Every structure is written in C-alpha cells, then in structure tokens.
Amino acid sequence: MCVEPFDPPEIASPDRILVIEGNLDAPDGTAEVILSTIRNIQSPPADSLNSRVSNAQVEIIINGSTYSLSETNPGVYRSTLPVSAGSSAQLRVETGGKIYESAEVLVKPVPEIDSVTFSADERGVSVEVTTHDPSASTGYYQWSFVETVEYRTKFGSYYYYDGMEVQVQDSPVLTCWKTTSSSDILVATTDGLTEDVVYKFPIVNLPADSWKKEIAYSVLVSQYAISEETYEFLREIENNTENIGTLF
C-alpha cells in the first residue's frame, strides 16, 4: 500500500486567519476578548506565543452604547462594563484595516449552581455539577473550571524566588501547587425535558491512576447561560476536535 503526503491548502496556507474568542459576564460586567491567528499545523509550539493580535480596536456595544476594551496582555482585551441580564450586546473588532462584527445577542440571567460533588469507583473520580432554573428560561448551559493540585517534588530545593530575587532558606521546598484552567468544551441542554434541571453533569474525570488526587485537589467551577446558537456551535466544535479523535 502506498501512502502519499496530503497537504490541503488550508493547512499549508501562510494566511493569518483571525480567531476571536470572547466572554461577557453579568452581573459583574467583566468582558474579555482574545484575538489570535491560526498557525501552520507543523509550526513549533512556541509560535503560538506569536499568534496573538495586538493593537486592535475592540468594542462592545451594549443597548446602543459603545464601550472600548483595553489591551492588558498581548492579544488580550479586558474591561468592566455596565451590563445586566436582558441587555443586548454586540462585539466589534477592527484590525488590519478590516472590521468584524458579531450578531447582536441577549444577555441571559445565570441560575445558581446547586452543588459541585464527586463520585468515586474503581475507574477513578468524577466531579459533577447540579443546577436548575425555576423559571425554565435557561435551557442551554456551559461550564469552565480552574483546578489546583498539591503535589510533592522528588528533590527538595533550598532556593526560591520571591518575585524580586532568588532567596535561600534553611529547609528544602518540597510542597508545590499547580493551577490550570479547563480547555474542554462543557455544554449541556435541558431542551425537551419537563424541567430545566441538569443533574450531576461530569465536569472533571480523574482516572484511578491520576497523580492529581494523591494529596489534595480543588476545583472552582463557573457556570454560564448560553443561547441555542452558541450551544450548537460549541457542540459542532466539540465533535470536530474532541470526539472524532483523528485528523480528516
């Protein structure tokens, strides 16, 4: 059997296709938009640091009023805006001489998380979230999380960095913590159910041999109310990137 190289033009293309990721939270009004460009699949991982798009004009239009976001890190634009449930919001980005505008969306109220629990068996530990909306107006949910793991190093160090310079202490440093944010797409819908209830939706799955649960593990879960269109889009992305398992 012969195998021939397959280089579709979309993969080999040097064009810098813009990618816009954003989130607007109510009622605290925090807005974050990340601008980056795709990169060649054969590019080294370090190139991802150079894919951020700086010096863009990023605005969010809320109920007809325009608010600018400030670039706090390369390609990361943030601000706190006067937004509440029921407001209409639209994203506008100007960069490279082009203007990109999103559709206008309605800011939905987010119900409280009822509980974050875990269950364990011989396969491992599953962290699960339960929530409900008494008004039955949410229907589509998304979650993200930040996990922190405590672990011990194999070799201790008498040196540590205090943010200004390297210091020396009498006893070795053995205890460390690692904090990471979720990268999985976590969405669910109650459409078609008699009640707007999500019961024990799995957020994190730790295999039985996972090092993360050896000493101490903590997870902070955030919940979002999304539109049906956003849900369908994220499900499509999930199917293409996480469920298929191969390039096609």
Side-chain angles (χ1 to χ4, degrees):
M1 182 179 68
C2 297
V3 178
E4 297 182 359
F6 175 61
D7 294 315
E10 289 78 11
I11 293 179
S13 173
D15 295 338
R16 291 170 58 86
I17 300 176
L18 182 65
V19 178
I20 303 176
E21 302 173 82
N23 194 63
L24 175 62
D25 287 343
D28 59 3
T30 56
E32 180 183 81
V33 175
I34 300 176
L35 303 183
S36 60
T37 57
I38 64 169
R39 58 190 176 92
N40 192 290
I41 195 171
Q42 298 177 347
S43 301
D47 283 358
S48 62
L49 299 177
N50 302 322
S51 68
R52 295 293 176 86
V53 178
S54 293
N55 303 317
Q57 183 176 346
V58 180
E59 299 173 334
I60 293 182
I61 304 169
I62 300 176
N63 296 333
S65 299
T66 302
Y67 303 89
S68 297
L69 276 64
S70 301
E71 187 172 10
T72 57
N73 289 303
V76 181
Y77 302 81
R78 295 190 178 100
S79 186
T80 301
L81 308 178
V83 61
S84 59
S87 301
S88 64
Q90 182 182 25
L91 176 64
R92 183 182 185 276
V93 175
E94 183 174 354
T95 180
K98 296 182 179 180
I99 298 176
Y100 306 86
E101 292 183 345
S102 73
E104 193 173 276
V105 297
L106 185 67
V107 179
K108 300 176 67 175
V110 184
E112 297 287 341
I113 293 177
D114 293 333
S115 64
V116 177
T117 57
F118 73 92
S119 58
D121 55 28
E122 66 278 0
R123 295 172 297 179
V125 176
S126 175
V127 179
E128 302 148 339
V129 62
T130 296
T131 186
H132 79 286
D133 182 3
S135 66
S137 60
T138 301
Y140 299 92
Y141 297 82
Q142 182 182 9
W143 297 272
S144 65
F145 64 85
V146 176
E147 61 179 1
T148 301
V149 184
E150 180 181 344
Y151 64 97
R152 302 286 188 269
T153 60
K154 293 183 177 180
F155 304 99
S157 173
Y158 289 89
Y159 301 91
Y160 71 97
Y161 182 65
D162 64 0
M164 297 292 293
E165 57 185 10
V166 176
Q167 303 286 353
V168 181
Q169 60 184 21
D170 297 332
S171 58
V173 177
L174 295 170
T175 302
C176 298
W177 292 267
K178 182 178 181 179
T179 299
T180 55
S181 299
S182 59
S183 59
D184 296 338
I185 296 175
L186 302 169
V187 292
T189 179
T190 59
D191 184 37
L193 301 180
T194 56
E195 294 182 317
D196 198 347
V197 176
V198 178
Y199 182 70
K200 290 190 174 182
F201 180 85
I203 297 293
V204 183
N205 288 296
L206 303 177
D209 59 351
S210 174
W211 64 273
K212 293 182 178 181
K213 57 186 181 59
E214 290 181 356
I215 301 175
Y217 178 86
S218 171
V219 60
L220 177 63
V221 180
S222 298
Q223 180 168 281
Y224 308 93
I226 60 177
S227 65
E228 180 180 0
E229 293 78 11
T230 302
Y231 171 81
E232 295 295 342
F233 173 77
L234 293 174
R235 283 286 294 167
E236 192 71 23
I237 296 296
E238 180 184 24
N239 288 332
N240 289 338
T241 60
E242 299 179 10
N243 295 339
I244 293 178
T246 58
L247 287 173
F248 60 95

